[in-house]
Amino acid sequence: MLPHHASAALYNASGLLGHTDQNGNPIWTAGGQNNGPSAQGLISDTDTVLDPIDHRLFVADQGNNRVLVFNLDSTNSIASKTAAYVLGQPDFISNAAATTQNGMSVPYGLAYDPATGRLFVADDGNARVLVFDASTSTIRDGENAENVLGQSDFVTNSAATTQSGMTQPHGLAYDPATSRL
């Protein structure tokens, strides 16, 4: 119950990602995995980040060990419920965890730098943050990350509590004023 001085306006959602029927219509009562792994299905979305310049939405799908990229229209509304690209997997139907330059294990948090087109992905299961060049001219399915933070290379996933190591990174934030993650 709200305090007497608070007012609440209830709004229905206007769209839904990740839970659709065969015709792309939303299934409002579904939970868990849907149509997945596919370009429309999600198991467990943990974070989203908006690219307001190139009108895209990045969605971390930890259950499928990937990040889906959805195109938006010029008002940043969802243009299609089908993802345009997938990062962390070679295609939309794969979902194996991997410790590679183009693989992920339980991606959790996201941050985006619209000035450079860099997407930062907290790769929780690999104790690292992957940095992707997600500019519209280079992004493609299964793209390699251009850099890794928290590990010495792309094939190591040792948890560490050191100045250069990480253990289960989750939330990310990027400050464009200082270019710091």
Side-chain angles (χ1 to χ4, degrees):
M1 176 174 241
L2 294 172
H4 73 280
H5 63 278
S7 62
L10 301 177
Y11 298 97
N12 289 327
S14 61
L16 177 73
L17 291 175
H19 290 281
T20 58
D21 64 19
Q22 302 86 330
N23 300 318
N25 299 311
I27 302 172
W28 298 103
T29 57
Q33 183 172 351
N34 177 253
N35 295 335
S38 72
Q40 297 88 22
L42 298 166
I43 289 180
S44 178
D45 52 312
T46 53
D47 201 5
T48 59
V49 68
L50 175 71
D51 169 4
I53 308 288
D54 293 312
H55 310 290
R56 297 175 297 172
L57 181 69
F58 298 94
V59 180
D61 181 11
Q62 78 170 18
N64 281 316
N65 300 301
R66 66 187 185 174
V67 173
L68 293 178
V69 184
F70 291 90
N71 288 325
L72 305 176
D73 65 20
S74 61
T75 65
N76 289 325
S77 296
I78 296 168
S80 173
K81 294 178 182 115
T82 300
Y85 302 101
V86 61
L87 300 173
Q89 297 297 327
D91 53 48
F92 289 108
I93 60 170
S94 301
N95 69 352
T99 308
T100 60
Q101 190 171 356
N102 62 355
M104 297 177 193
S105 177
V106 191
Y108 212 88
L110 301 172
Y112 185 73
D113 176 10
T116 64
R118 290 184 300 176
L119 175 69
F120 303 92
V121 179
D123 189 9
D124 175 270
N126 286 320
R128 65 187 185 178
V129 172
L130 294 174
V131 183
F132 289 91
D133 178 358
S135 59
T136 55
S137 63
T138 64
I139 195 167
R140 65 186 188 284
D141 292 344
E143 175 180 332
N144 281 339
E146 63 179 14
N147 205 342
V148 62
L149 307 173
Q151 299 295 337
S152 59
D153 55 43
F154 288 104
V155 295
T156 304
N157 66 356
S158 301
T161 55
T162 63
Q163 186 175 3
S164 60
M166 297 180 187
T167 300
Q168 295 181 314
H170 280 109
L172 299 177
Y174 184 79
D175 181 1
T178 62
S179 299
R180 292 186 183 205
L181 180 66

